[in-house]
Amino acid sequence: MLWPHWWVLLILVALWALVVLADALRATDPRRIRVQRQAPTQVRLGNTVGGRLLLTNPTSRAAALEVRDAWNPTAGLESQRSSLDVPAQERRAVPQSFTPTRRGEHRSRALLISSRGPLGLARRTTTVDAPGRLLALHPFGSRRHLPSRVQRLREIEGLAAIHQRGQGTEFDSLRDFVDGDDVRSIDWRATARRRSVVVRTWRPERDRHVLIVVDTSRTSAGRLGESTRLDAAFDSALLLTALAGQAGDRVDLICVDRIPHLSVLGSTRTKVLHDMVTATAAVEPALVETDWELAASTISQRARRGALVVLITPVEASVIHTGLLPVAARLAKDHPLVVASVADPALEQLAAGRGDLETVYRAAAAEQARSEQAGVSHALERVGAHVVDAPPDRAPQALADAYLALKAAGKL
C-alpha cells in the first residue's frame, strides 16, 4: 500500500517464506516421535472399550503435536483427531474410546502425526507405522434365554420315562428295584453283591454330535429391522451351541454359499462358544446363490450317521429352485434334520393393512408370500425335516425349543 511496486511484493513474499521455513525447521521432526498403541483386540458389539496411544519425544526440544488416527467410521472411535504437547524426553498418552456400530473387523487405515512450529505457521507431517485392529464380536443377545432352556433340559434329563433303555440312551446309575420296573433292567451282579434287587437306569445319550450349517448367501443379507438375517442366524446358532454344550453334546459349525468358507470344528465343549463367536465375527453375506449339493457333500464328510444337522436358511419359494428340497430329503434319511428360518416380521405387518387400495394390494402380496413359505415348509416336513420358522426376536428360542423337543422324544 505504501510502496506499490512489484519488487516490494516480491520482497514481502520472500520474507514470509523465510519465516514459514524457519518455523518449520524449528518444529520437532515427527519421524523421531515413537508411538506405541495400547488397545484391546476384541469388544462385544454395543459395548464401549478404551485404549490409548503413547507418544514418546526423545528429542531435546518440546513437541506440539496433532494426531489423526484414521479408523473406519463404524469402529466408533470417539475422536480421530487430538492435540497435545510432549515435553523433551517425556511421554504422553492420547486416550481413545471405541463403540463399534457394526459387527466384524475394524482397522486403522493410517496414523498421521503433525508437528507444529513455535509460531504455529507451519507443520511437518508423517505417517507412522502403528497398525490398529479391533474385532467387534456378535452381541449374543439371546444369552438371556439360556438359563430357562438349561432348566428345561435338566427336567428332561430327570424324567423317569427317559430313564429306560433304548435308542439314544446310555447308562446312568443303579437304584433299588420298585414295583413297575422292567425286570430286564435288573443288574444281577449288583443284586448279588448287595443282596437286594438293583436295576439300571438310563439317560439321554451325551456326547452327541450337532452340526450347524449357516447359509451365508445373498438371502442372508436381507434387513430384518435393525439387523440382517445373517445376524439373527448367528444369534440362533450361538444359543443352540451354548445349550448343547450344557447337554454334553459336541457342536461344529460351517458356513456355506458357493464354498464352505468358514468352519469351527473339533473345539471342546468349554471353548466352542468362544471359538464360534470369534470365528463368525467377520463373516459377511456373499452375493451368490448357495450350492446345496456342495453343502450336502460337506455335511456328509463332517457328520457321522445319526448326528443332528441344523440348516439355518430362509424358507422361501426360491429354495425350491436352488436345490434345497432334494438335499434335505437325502440328509433326513441319515440324520435328524432341523431347518431353521428367520422370518421377516414385515410380512405380518403388511398382511394386516386394510387402510386404502395400495395397502390392500400390499397385504395381498404379503399373504401370497406367506402362503408360498408355508408350502415350502410343508414340503420340507414331508421329506422328514423339522421346520422352525420364527421372527428374529423369537428365532433363537424356537430353535432351542426344537432341540429340547428332540431330546425329550429320545431322538437325540
Side-chain angles (χ1 to χ4, degrees), residues 376-400:
V376 175
S377 298
H378 292 323
L380 290 170
E381 290 174 350
R382 284 197 299 268
V383 299
H386 302 272
V387 179
V388 178
D389 190 18
D393 58 339
R394 297 198 301 270
Q397 305 93 285
L399 180 56

Side-chain angles (χ1 to χ4, degrees), residues 15 32 44 62 85-86 105 121 160 169 182-183 205 228 230 236 298 311 313 325 343 362 364 397 410:
L15 290 175
R32 300 188 61 184
R44 196 171 295 278
D85 294 327
V86 184
E105 186 178 69
L121 300 177
T169 60
D182 191 344
V183 295
E205 184 178 353
T228 64
L230 183 61
S236 302
T298 304
L311 301 181
T313 183
L325 192 59
R362 290 180 178 177
Q397 305 93 285

Side-chain angles (χ1 to χ4, degrees), residues 175-193:
R175 62 171 175 80
D176 292 332
F177 180 86
V178 295
D179 291 341
D181 284 339
D182 191 344
V183 295
R184 293 174 295 180
S185 298
I186 297 176
D187 189 312
W188 295 107
R189 292 185 179 181
T191 298
R193 288 195 300 268

Side-chain angles (χ1 to χ4, degrees), residues 203-218:
R203 67 180 181 184
E205 184 178 353
R206 301 174 73 86
D207 199 28
R208 298 298 297 270
H209 186 203
V210 180
L211 180 62
I212 303 175
V213 182
V214 179
D215 181 5
T216 57
S217 66
R218 63 173 184 83

Side-chain angles (χ1 to χ4, degrees), residues 69-374:
D69 199 0
W71 287 79
N72 55 289
T74 53
L77 179 58
E78 185 176 5
S79 177
Q80 291 192 355
R81 299 177 183 271
S82 55
S83 301
L84 70 160
D85 294 327
V86 184
Q89 305 295 325
E90 292 190 18
R91 182 174 65 180
R92 293 291 184 267
V94 178
Q96 295 180 315
S97 178
F98 297 89
T99 307
T101 58
R102 179 182 59 82
R103 174 181 57 83
E105 186 178 69
H106 305 276
R107 291 184 179 273
S108 174
R109 295 169 292 177
L111 179 61
L112 303 178
I113 296 181
S114 298
S115 175
R116 298 189 306 273
L119 301 178
L121 300 177
R123 67 180 64 187
R124 303 167 66 180
T125 303
T126 187
T127 302
V128 179
D129 185 17
R133 177 183 178 273
L134 180 64
L135 188 63
L137 305 177
H138 195 284
F140 193 13
S142 62
R143 184 191 294 270
R144 64 184 183 275
H145 301 292
L146 182 60
S148 61
R149 268 61 188 181
V150 172
Q151 181 180 0
R152 174 58 181 160
L153 175 66
R154 299 295 176 247
E155 293 174 356
I156 292 173
E157 291 180 342
L159 291 176
I162 298 299
H163 284 201
Q164 298 177 1
R165 187 175 185 177
Q167 184 178 7
T169 60
E170 63 182 5
F171 174 73
D172 182 38
S173 61
L174 298 173
R175 62 171 175 80
D176 292 332
F177 180 86
V178 295
D179 291 341
D181 284 339
D182 191 344
V183 295
R184 293 174 295 180
S185 298
I186 297 176
D187 189 312
W188 295 107
R189 292 185 179 181
T191 298
R193 288 195 300 268
R194 295 186 56 180
R195 297 185 179 181
S196 62
V197 181
V198 176
V199 296
R200 297 177 179 177
T201 60
W202 310 87
R203 67 180 181 184
E205 184 178 353
R206 301 174 73 86
D207 199 28
R208 298 298 297 270
H209 186 203
V210 180
L211 180 62
I212 303 175
V213 182
V214 179
D215 181 5
T216 57
S217 66
R218 63 173 184 83
T219 55
S220 64
R223 301 290 301 184
L224 303 179
E226 297 297 327
S227 61
T228 64
R229 181 177 272 117
L230 183 61
D231 291 331
F234 282 146
D235 206 26
S236 302
L238 293 176
L239 180 60
L240 178 59
T241 300
L243 181 60
Q246 293 289 330
D249 293 338
R250 296 181 297 108
V251 184
D252 292 333
L253 177 138
I254 58 176
C255 297
V256 297
D257 39 64
R258 284 291 175 184
I259 59 173
H261 54 78
L262 181 139
S263 299
V264 180
L265 305 172
S267 296
T268 62
R269 287 193 293 268
T270 57
K271 293 181 57 180
V272 63
L273 186 61
H274 174 269
D275 294 345
M276 198 172 294
V277 170
T278 304
T280 58
V283 177
E284 297 293 341
L287 300 182
V288 295
E289 298 286 353
T290 300
D291 187 347
W292 285 110
E293 290 297 335
L294 177 61
S297 63
T298 304
I299 294 171
S300 300
Q301 295 171 6
R302 300 297 186 184
R304 65 177 186 267
R305 187 182 182 91
L308 174 63
V309 176
V310 180
L311 301 181
I312 305 181
T313 183
V315 175
E316 298 177 347
S318 61
V319 302
I320 301 297
H321 306 290
T322 58
L324 174 59
L325 192 59
V327 168
R330 295 202 304 269
L331 292 175
K333 293 180 180 179
D334 299 328
H335 309 277
L337 177 63
V338 175
V339 179
S341 174
V342 182
D344 188 353
L347 286 180
E348 185 175 354
Q349 299 174 2
L350 291 174
R354 297 293 188 274
D356 52 27
L357 184 61
E358 183 178 356
T359 56
V360 169
Y361 274 110
R362 290 180 178 177
E367 287 291 354
Q368 182 178 1
R370 294 171 65 182
S371 177
E372 292 175 352
Q373 292 178 1

